[in-house]
Amino acid sequence: SNVEFYSDFLVNNSISRSSWFATDNLLWPFGTDFQHFNSTSMFSSMDKIIEHVNARNGAGQRYEGVTLQYSSLGDYFEAVRRAKPEGWSVRHGGDFLPYSTLNCNGISSDPLPSPCSGNAGPQFNVSWPQTWSGFFSSHARLKIQARKASRELRSGSQLLSIAALAKLEADGEQLQKPIGAVMASSVHTLRSAVGLVPHHDALSGTMGSGCGNDPKLGYKNISTCAALPMGTLGDAGAVANDYADRMLSGAAMVAKQTEAAAAYILDPESKNKSKEEKLSLSVDPEHFFAALKEGRGASAAVHNPLAWKVVSWVRVDVPTSMKSARVQDSLGAEVPSDILPGGALECIGDERIKAMCRLAATEQGLARGETAKNSRGDDGDGANSLYFRAEMPALGVAIFNVLPSEQDTAAAAAAASVEQQPDAVIESQYFSLKFLGGVLRSMKDLSTGIEMQMEQTMAEYKSFASVKNVTSPSAGGANSWTLTYTGSRSGSYLLHPSTLSPGGVAGAFKTPKMEVVRGSHVTEVRQWFSETHSQVYRVYTSERDELAGGFVELQMGVGPLEGNRELVARFDTDGGIPTDSGAGSEFLTDSNGFQLQRRVFSPTRFFPDGTSQDVSPDDSYTLALNFYPVVRSAHIRGHDLQLSVLTQQTGGATSTSSGNLEIMVHRRSLQDDSKGACQVFNDTTGSYATIPLDDSEGNTCTQFGWAGTCRADNCPSFAVPMNISTRVEPLMWFVAGKRSTCQGRWRQLSQLLNNRPSLLFSGKAHFDVKASAPMRRAALPLDVHLLTLQPRTADGMSQLVLRLQNIQEIAPASSAANNASGSANGPISIDFNKAGLCALLGKRARVSERALNSLPLDKDGYSRNMFSGDETKTLDLVGSRGGAAAEFKSDATGRIDAHRQAAEGTQQVTGSRRFDTEGRACGFKTEIWPQDIKTFLITLE
């Protein structure tokens, strides 16, 4: 009934914006904060508006000349390109990062008619640019937690779905409504929390994590509080660590259901067994750890969340008294294993340092290894690390039994050796690493014999934080004063190091301490650059599967940092390409997990009118302007060499010289950057205490009355979100050597790193439980990732959502990104029978391909409202439908699909598609183009 009201609003609003655009193609962003929390409702409402407007846009009608359609950014820019706006140049590749806040004085006024920011100040000689590249790496702990929660969500969703499918296949019954609804609801809770945390108030910066503005905690311990939270939904500053709490609460709900689902998948007849005979699994390794400590056997259930056959080296904590063990699968076959002594990433030094590190780690909920938590004995005993080789079917679950060995001569001989030495060579089947003076010096690709000179260290930038006193006469004749910063300052969002090059870490040793730990199958090099900065290289020496051992694992233990420090993992190699200016080099980062962007280190920025300008007043600003976001990977390349670094958490990357690559992994700032983080310090909601005043810099300054502090950033020192003394353990894999070596495996390795096997534990050994292989012996192609298998709604398990992603990237053969990524341009055909999806979903399942708004496709494979006009439609890749609506006033040719255009050159396709849109799972066929995600609704009958 109100569709005309909202249609009028959208059209009138678009017309008022039309003067901002150079063509008749208008981009109208669809939604704002939290507006897509219920995406189905949002899209359904917009569908009605689109239909209403497009049915009344003829000559003389209410919306004459206006056509609405959904659009991705690619569609919009293609439409603008076709319209050829006069005087505009083409931006060849790249995104718009990093953002900068600049006053526009001196910049051509036509494309930028108004100042970019009201609080940036005049440019250069009076003030400074502000570069928003700090948030790529801010709040490292929360970023690691978010990625971990995402893995738990994916694994839990899969196990619940597989359990529902297994029950339907076994007895023709769906999970009962109450049970199925509880399972689905738990997944929905965690999915909501994981979906919320990428919001800019959380992962990006303004949400501080720590003690919270909570009177129950008091302010006695303010020096040990990490920070104060800067906002929650509807009650700013009210709940401590709100975003992380939501994830932890959701994960706990999913864990309980996951335990039951995994037990059912492995032992569907458990309901007929006694309590002692039933398979009991827990995400908590407490009983597993206790059994081993008492000398009894225990077991771990390993779930492979990938729809590929996977070989993975799994790590679990075991008691320090356990020097060797036998690991067997559920059929009693031995699997390769090693036990290495613990402490690889621990702080060293006196007890005060160790206690400080334990506090920073424990208070921040640091997760260790692949276990569910840091499993320690009740007496505070430490833990060794058990590694074992798990060969897993696609989406499979398998039991591995851990049996303590007799402590005899043979067991002692199997124990790992530990050597404290600054020089060493370690090798896997793929790489040889040479260390001299406690530092990595070179890495050799054993498959080609090519050796890359490489120095890898930890380094730290110091944050810019200089202030000056400013005095002014007051009304009474005396001087009032304030503190003013003399340059842009680092904070949750902004980055501004004091120098172009980093120095050593705080408290660095003259020479890094190093020890080499060699097991039968796993070798580690452990380094300490200071008492609180440690890292370990890990190679799987006997592994011949390139996706299980064709990389080097690098895990860091860093923090608590000193104040105003920006920590980077620094690689210096002979494999880079210098820029024309000689400063910095070319490098590549991923913009969304797989699509690479070419980056060039430069102080210059280019504008829409074709002009360019040096926007950096000195080298320190140039550095900030050239940190770019890393979602999963960063790369540098030389003539025939390449270094690919894969990450398990987001961060920032730059390349300050030829062959250099730096990944920022942790930050701590003692001041706020005035970008919104400290805006609620005088919260008076009544539910929680007001943050107290801060007179550490006096109380007679001009701003004390309204800011509650005389600090230069107008933020009380204990309310600075980036003043966080955390300890984190970021994990990376890297591959180096001949370019073809990196191209051949980095995309698959990235998926493996970010979808590590999940573990459940039992305090007993189980030899009568057969491994689960829901896809039988089949698997998806290695270029296709099963992105989603989950309940469709929170109401039950009668419908599932399946999403498949082609992880390859389309790039013309001449592009720089393609040269480093090994991209492909053709589609991949998927036969559900041959790929194992028929076995997974069962004969009773019906498949319906959907657009992301859940609408079914028509006979040609198109969702309504996705096209306009022309009867000859270009092939649409369903799943690439964006969350933005675009208004097209004169687009008669229909949607141009960027994927197909890049692959085949604007080739249009008429008639029916060569694959299915609906049908039974068994016999269903589809195809997926590079960079595409396809969505399917699975109905269980």
Side-chain angles (χ1 to χ4, degrees), residues 350-392:
D350 59 30
E351 186 54 36
R352 179 187 63 85
I353 294 293
K354 293 179 180 178
M356 180 177 66
C357 289
R358 285 195 296 269
L359 180 66
T362 304
E363 285 192 346
Q364 301 306 322
L366 178 65
R368 297 185 56 83
E370 301 306 310
T371 55
K373 70 173 186 178
N374 182 9
S375 52
R376 302 293 189 185
D378 293 338
D379 58 0
D381 189 17
N384 287 340
S385 294
L386 167 65
Y387 295 87
F388 63 89
R389 187 178 191 269
E391 193 166 347
M392 302 290 299

Side-chain angles (χ1 to χ4, degrees), residues 175-216:
L175 288 173
Q176 295 179 3
K177 177 77 172 183
I179 299 174
V182 169
M183 287 183 167
S185 178
S186 68
V187 169
H188 181 75
T189 299
L190 180 55
R191 187 163 66 241
S192 297
V194 170
L196 179 64
V197 79
H199 187 268
H200 62 254
D201 283 334
L203 203 59
S204 298
T206 54
M207 175 63 177
S209 57
C211 295
N213 189 13
D214 187 339
K216 297 189 294 295

